[in-house]
Amino acid sequence: MVVAGFSTHVEIVRAHEIANEVRRVKKQLKDCQQLAMLYNNREHIFGLPITNYDKLSRMVKEFQPYLDLWTTASDWLRWSESWMNDPLSAIDAEQLEKNVIESFKTMHKCVKQFKDTPDIQARIEEFKPYIPLIQGLRNPGMRTQHWDMLSNEININVRPKANLTFARCLEMNLQDHTESISKVAKVAGKEYAIEQALDKMEKEWSTILFNVLPYKETETHILKSPDEASQLLDDHIVMTQSMTFSPYKKPFEQRINSWENKLKLTQEVLEEWLNCQRAWLYQEPIFSSEDINRQLPVESKRYQTMERVWRKIMKNAYENREASSHGDGRGKLGLPGSLLVLSLLNKKDWRTSPRLWSWPVSPWVGSPVLRDTPQKHSS
């Protein structure tokens, strides 16, 4: 009888009251279903006949359309009141569209099921054409320049003031300019997407740390292979370069160029850094020998100069592990000169020097770097 009683209600002015009532009945029916399940479980445990609660299930099924009808009617009245009279800045355009579409579907179904329904579907149909207008006005990319552009195009001074409501927008006849508003909002949205992508890339870099580890007994450090940073660099450079071809890049052109330069510099720093590290790892066991230093005083002096720079670089890297901090070139300082010195040290002439091989071979047996070199010299 309680469920059947809802068929007599059609008064839209009582929508909130009736909605509260159907929510109360929904809770009662849910409680009854849980009790029915509990009783059936106990009957099964004690071997008693299982009570049939099919009537309760039918009641729940018959009640569902009334629940949908009145909760949707109540929600719609509340939403539409809020959308029209609350500040425009408080409207979530994406959620609004979702609510309108879902409400329309529900009411369309209810109209087919009930002979008499509150006049909500017509109100929803009347509001639906305003969705593109609200989406345009509430586009998150709309900035001062876009509002200026819009105002000039439609000859109406449109500004997102704190007290501006959608009802006021309709009074200003902005619905007559939906196409122009959508066009400006589209540009704003594309520019906003670029801004968001730049923000996202910068945020991702803020979490990347270089893994700088102590190296043996050298009292300095080495950079562990930065695979994550290298992959992120490749991805971000491609993404940033694609932005340079966008017709909507103008407001962020300087920022895009600056970011691209920083990424490329970081990539160059990383590449030179690893090259220098490979060369240092090659030379360090050689020039740690006093015998070699006496044999090759010029090359040894060059190595010591390079190593001082290298240790300074690695000390800085150890103290500043954030990958983003090395995109300003600080980590690159001294690397080109160090690489030049190392390239001189790697020349064949000093490695095949008779002075080097006038010493016994035994000190080099443990060095994987020079293990094969005597064979080359003997040939």
Coordinates of all heavy atoms in Angstrom, one line a residue, residues 59-99:
M59 N 7.9 -6.0 -4.8 CA 7.7 -4.6 -4.2 C 8.8 -3.7 -4.5 O 8.6 -2.5 -4.9 CB 7.4 -4.7 -2.7 CG 6.9 -3.4 -2.1 SD 6.7 -3.5 -0.3 CE 5.3 -4.7 -0.3
V60 N 10.0 -4.2 -4.3 CA 11.2 -3.4 -4.6 C 11.3 -3.0 -6.1 O 11.6 -1.8 -6.4 CB 12.5 -4.1 -4.2 CG1 13.8 -3.4 -4.6 CG2 12.6 -4.3 -2.7
K61 N 11.0 -4.0 -6.9 CA 11.0 -3.7 -8.4 C 9.9 -2.7 -8.8 O 10.2 -1.8 -9.6 CB 10.8 -5.0 -9.1 CG 10.9 -4.9 -10.6 CD 10.8 -6.2 -11.3 CE 10.9 -6.1 -12.8 NZ 10.8 -7.4 -13.5
E62 N 8.7 -2.8 -8.2 CA 7.7 -1.9 -8.5 C 7.9 -0.5 -8.0 O 7.5 0.5 -8.5 CB 6.3 -2.4 -7.9 CG 5.8 -3.6 -8.6 CD 4.6 -4.2 -7.8 OE1 4.2 -3.6 -6.8 OE2 4.1 -5.3 -8.2
F63 N 8.7 -0.4 -6.9 CA 9.0 0.9 -6.2 C 10.1 1.7 -7.0 O 10.1 2.9 -6.9 CB 9.4 0.6 -4.8 CG 9.9 1.9 -4.1 CD1 9.0 2.8 -3.7 CD2 11.2 2.1 -3.8 CE1 9.4 4.0 -3.0 CE2 11.7 3.2 -3.1 CZ 10.7 4.2 -2.7
Q64 N 11.0 1.0 -7.7 CA 12.1 1.7 -8.3 C 11.7 2.8 -9.2 O 12.3 3.9 -9.2 CB 12.9 0.6 -9.1 CG 14.3 1.2 -9.6 CD 15.2 1.6 -8.5 OE1 15.3 1.0 -7.5 NE2 15.8 2.8 -8.7
P65 N 10.7 2.7 -10.1 CA 10.3 3.8 -11.0 C 9.9 5.1 -10.2 O 10.2 6.2 -10.6 CB 9.2 3.3 -11.8 CG 9.4 1.8 -11.8 CD 9.9 1.5 -10.5
Y66 N 9.2 4.9 -9.0 CA 8.8 6.0 -8.2 C 10.0 6.7 -7.6 O 10.1 7.9 -7.5 CB 7.8 5.6 -7.1 CG 6.5 5.0 -7.6 CD1 6.2 3.7 -7.6 CD2 5.5 5.9 -8.1 CE1 5.0 3.2 -8.1 CE2 4.3 5.4 -8.5 CZ 4.1 4.0 -8.5 OH 2.9 3.6 -9.0
L67 N 11.0 5.8 -7.2 CA 12.2 6.4 -6.6 C 12.9 7.2 -7.6 O 13.4 8.3 -7.4 CB 13.1 5.2 -6.1 CG 14.5 5.6 -5.6 CD1 14.3 6.4 -4.3 CD2 15.3 4.3 -5.4
D68 N 13.1 6.7 -8.9 CA 13.8 7.4 -9.9 C 13.1 8.7 -10.3 O 13.7 9.7 -10.4 CB 13.9 6.5 -11.2 CG 14.7 5.3 -11.0 OD1 15.6 5.3 -10.1 OD2 14.6 4.3 -11.8
L69 N 11.7 8.6 -10.4 CA 10.9 9.8 -10.7 C 11.1 10.9 -9.8 O 11.5 12.1 -10.1 CB 9.5 9.4 -10.9 CG 8.5 10.6 -11.1 CD1 8.7 11.2 -12.4 CD2 7.0 10.1 -11.0
W70 N 10.9 10.7 -8.5 CA 10.9 11.8 -7.5 C 12.2 12.2 -7.1 O 12.4 13.4 -6.8 CB 10.0 11.4 -6.3 CG 8.5 11.4 -6.7 CD1 7.8 10.3 -6.9 CD2 7.7 12.5 -7.0 NE1 6.5 10.7 -7.3 CE2 6.5 12.0 -7.4 CE3 8.0 13.9 -7.0 CZ2 5.4 12.9 -7.8 CZ3 6.9 14.7 -7.4 CH2 5.7 14.2 -7.8
T71 N 13.2 11.3 -7.0 CA 14.6 11.8 -6.7 C 15.1 12.6 -7.9 O 15.8 13.7 -7.6 CB 15.5 10.6 -6.4 OG1 15.5 9.7 -7.5 CG2 15.1 9.9 -5.1
T72 N 14.8 12.2 -9.1 CA 15.3 13.0 -10.3 C 14.6 14.4 -10.3 O 15.2 15.4 -10.6 CB 15.0 12.3 -11.6 OG1 15.7 11.0 -11.5 CG2 15.5 13.1 -12.8
A73 N 13.3 14.4 -10.0 CA 12.5 15.7 -10.0 C 13.1 16.6 -9.0 O 13.3 17.8 -9.2 CB 11.0 15.4 -9.8
S74 N 13.3 16.1 -7.8 CA 13.8 16.9 -6.7 C 15.2 17.4 -7.0 O 15.6 18.6 -6.8 CB 13.9 16.1 -5.4 OG 14.4 16.8 -4.4
D75 N 16.1 16.5 -7.5 CA 17.5 16.9 -7.9 C 17.5 18.0 -8.9 O 18.2 18.9 -8.9 CB 18.3 15.7 -8.3 CG 18.6 14.7 -7.2 OD1 18.5 15.2 -6.0 OD2 19.0 13.6 -7.5
W76 N 16.6 17.8 -10.0 CA 16.6 18.7 -11.0 C 16.2 20.1 -10.6 O 16.8 21.1 -11.0 CB 15.6 18.3 -12.2 CG 15.6 19.3 -13.2 CD1 14.6 20.2 -13.4 CD2 16.6 19.6 -14.2 NE1 14.9 21.1 -14.5 CE2 16.1 20.7 -15.0 CE3 17.8 19.0 -14.5 CZ2 16.9 21.2 -16.1 CZ3 18.5 19.5 -15.6 CH2 18.1 20.6 -16.3
L77 N 15.2 20.2 -9.7 CA 14.7 21.5 -9.2 C 15.9 22.2 -8.4 O 16.1 23.4 -8.5 CB 13.5 21.3 -8.3 CG 12.2 20.9 -9.1 CD1 11.1 20.7 -8.0 CD2 11.8 21.9 -10.1
R78 N 16.6 21.4 -7.6 CA 17.7 21.9 -6.8 C 18.8 22.3 -7.7 O 19.4 23.4 -7.5 CB 18.1 20.8 -5.8 CG 19.2 21.3 -4.9 CD 19.4 20.3 -3.8 NE 19.4 18.9 -4.2 CZ 20.4 18.2 -4.8 NH1 21.6 18.9 -4.9 NH2 20.3 17.0 -5.1
W79 N 19.2 21.5 -8.7 CA 20.3 21.8 -9.6 C 20.0 23.1 -10.4 O 20.8 24.0 -10.5 CB 20.6 20.7 -10.5 CG 21.2 19.5 -9.9 CD1 22.0 19.5 -8.8 CD2 21.1 18.1 -10.3 NE1 22.3 18.2 -8.5 CE2 21.8 17.3 -9.4 CE3 20.4 17.5 -11.4 CZ2 22.0 15.9 -9.5 CZ3 20.6 16.1 -11.5 CH2 21.3 15.4 -10.6
S80 N 18.8 23.1 -11.0 CA 18.5 24.2 -11.9 C 18.5 25.5 -11.2 O 18.9 26.6 -11.7 CB 17.2 24.0 -12.6 OG 16.1 23.8 -11.7
E81 N 17.9 25.5 -9.9 CA 17.9 26.7 -9.1 C 19.4 27.2 -8.8 O 19.7 28.4 -8.9 CB 17.2 26.4 -7.8 CG 17.3 27.5 -6.7 CD 16.5 28.8 -7.1 OE1 15.6 28.7 -8.0 OE2 16.8 29.8 -6.5
S82 N 20.2 26.2 -8.5 CA 21.6 26.6 -8.3 C 22.3 27.1 -9.5 O 23.0 28.1 -9.5 CB 22.4 25.3 -7.7 OG 23.7 25.5 -7.6
W83 N 22.1 26.4 -10.7 CA 22.8 26.8 -11.9 C 22.4 28.2 -12.3 O 23.2 29.0 -12.9 CB 22.5 25.8 -13.0 CG 23.0 24.5 -12.8 CD1 24.1 24.2 -12.0 CD2 22.5 23.2 -13.3 NE1 24.3 22.8 -12.0 CE2 23.4 22.2 -12.8 CE3 21.4 22.9 -14.1 CZ2 23.2 20.8 -13.1 CZ3 21.2 21.5 -14.4 CH2 22.1 20.5 -13.9
M84 N 21.1 28.6 -12.1 CA 20.6 29.9 -12.6 C 21.0 31.0 -11.6 O 21.3 32.1 -12.1 CB 19.1 29.8 -12.7 CG 18.6 28.9 -13.7 SD 19.1 29.3 -15.4 CE 18.1 30.8 -15.6
N85 N 21.1 30.7 -10.3 CA 21.2 31.9 -9.4 C 22.5 31.9 -8.6 O 22.8 32.9 -8.0 CB 20.0 31.9 -8.4 CG 18.7 32.0 -9.2 OD1 18.6 32.9 -10.0 ND2 17.8 31.1 -8.9
D86 N 23.2 30.8 -8.5 CA 24.5 30.8 -7.9 C 25.6 31.5 -8.8 O 25.3 31.6 -10.0 CB 25.0 29.4 -7.5 CG 24.2 28.8 -6.3 OD1 23.5 29.6 -5.7 OD2 24.4 27.6 -6.1
P87 N 26.7 32.0 -8.3 CA 27.7 32.6 -9.1 C 28.1 31.6 -10.3 O 28.3 30.4 -10.0 CB 28.9 32.8 -8.2 CG 28.3 32.9 -6.8 CD 27.1 32.0 -6.8
L88 N 28.3 32.2 -11.4 CA 28.7 31.3 -12.6 C 30.0 30.6 -12.3 O 30.2 29.5 -12.8 CB 28.8 32.3 -13.8 CG 29.1 31.6 -15.2 CD1 27.9 30.8 -15.6 CD2 29.5 32.6 -16.2
S89 N 30.9 31.2 -11.6 CA 32.2 30.6 -11.3 C 32.0 29.3 -10.5 O 33.0 28.5 -10.4 CB 33.1 31.6 -10.5 OG 32.4 32.0 -9.3
A90 N 30.9 29.1 -9.8 CA 30.7 27.9 -9.0 C 30.2 26.7 -9.8 O 30.1 25.6 -9.3 CB 29.7 28.2 -7.9
I91 N 29.8 26.9 -11.1 CA 29.3 25.8 -11.9 C 30.4 24.9 -12.5 O 31.3 25.4 -13.1 CB 28.4 26.4 -13.1 CG1 27.2 27.2 -12.5 CG2 28.0 25.3 -14.0 CD1 26.4 27.8 -13.6
D92 N 30.2 23.6 -12.3 CA 31.1 22.6 -12.9 C 30.4 22.2 -14.2 O 29.5 21.4 -14.2 CB 31.3 21.5 -12.0 CG 32.2 20.4 -12.5 OD1 32.4 20.4 -13.8 OD2 32.8 19.6 -11.7
A93 N 30.9 22.7 -15.3 CA 30.2 22.5 -16.6 C 30.2 21.0 -17.0 O 29.2 20.6 -17.6 CB 30.9 23.3 -17.7
E94 N 31.2 20.3 -16.7 CA 31.3 18.9 -17.0 C 30.2 18.1 -16.2 O 29.5 17.3 -16.8 CB 32.7 18.3 -16.8 CG 32.9 16.9 -17.2 CD 34.3 16.4 -17.0 OE1 35.2 17.3 -16.8 OE2 34.5 15.2 -17.0
Q95 N 30.2 18.4 -15.0 CA 29.2 17.7 -14.1 C 27.8 18.1 -14.5 O 26.8 17.3 -14.5 CB 29.4 18.0 -12.7 CG 28.6 17.2 -11.7 CD 28.8 15.7 -11.8 OE1 29.9 15.3 -11.8 NE2 27.7 15.0 -11.8
L96 N 27.6 19.4 -14.9 CA 26.3 19.9 -15.3 C 25.8 19.1 -16.5 O 24.6 18.6 -16.5 CB 26.4 21.4 -15.6 CG 25.1 22.1 -16.1 CD1 25.0 23.5 -15.6 CD2 25.0 22.1 -17.7
E97 N 26.6 18.9 -17.5 CA 26.2 18.2 -18.7 C 25.8 16.8 -18.3 O 24.8 16.2 -18.8 CB 27.4 18.2 -19.7 CG 27.0 17.5 -21.0 CD 28.1 17.4 -22.0 OE1 29.3 17.5 -21.6 OE2 27.9 17.3 -23.2
K98 N 26.6 16.1 -17.5 CA 26.3 14.8 -17.1 C 25.0 14.7 -16.4 O 24.2 13.8 -16.6 CB 27.4 14.3 -16.1 CG 27.3 12.9 -15.7 CD 28.4 12.4 -14.8 CE 28.2 11.0 -14.2 NZ 29.3 10.6 -13.3
N99 N 24.7 15.6 -15.5 CA 23.4 15.6 -14.7 C 22.2 15.8 -15.7 O 21.2 15.2 -15.5 CB 23.5 16.7 -13.7 CG 24.4 16.4 -12.5 OD1 24.8 15.3 -12.4 ND2 24.7 17.4 -11.7

